[in-house]
Amino acid sequence: MEFVAFMRGTSGRALRIAAGLVLAAVGIFAAGGLWGILLAVLGAVMIAAGVFNFCLLAPLFHADLWGRPKRASQ
C-alpha cells in the first residue's frame, strides 16, 4: 500500500506527469508509426492521471482509482 500512498502524494503526481511528458515526446518525435502513436497516447493517459490525481494501478493494490482503500462490503 506504500506504492499507492506515494502515487497519491505530490511526488507521485509529479512523477506521473514527467513520465507522461517523456513518453509523449518520445512517441511524437523519436518513434514513428504505430509505436509512436501508442507511446503518445500512453503518455497522454499518464499526464491526465497526474493532473486529475488518479492511479490506474491502485485497484491492483485493493484501492479505488483515487488511492483510497476499498470498503468492506456490508
Side-chain angles (χ1 to χ4, degrees):
M1 201 64 164
E2 291 84 23
F3 172 75
V4 175
F6 170 75
M7 293 308 272
R8 284 183 65 194
T10 305
S11 298
R13 290 179 77 180
L15 179 66
R16 284 180 289 192
I17 292 170
L21 289 171
V22 169
L23 282 175
V26 168
I28 292 170
F29 298 114
L34 180 63
W35 288 110
I37 293 169
L38 290 175
L39 283 174
V41 168
L42 180 61
V45 169
M46 290 182 71
I47 293 168
V51 169
F52 296 111
N53 198 21
F54 64 87
C55 181
L56 294 173
L57 297 178
L60 296 174
F61 296 94
H62 305 290
D64 64 9
L65 287 177
W66 289 268
R68 296 178 303 241
K70 290 185 179 178
R71 292 182 180 180
S73 58
Q74 298 174 345

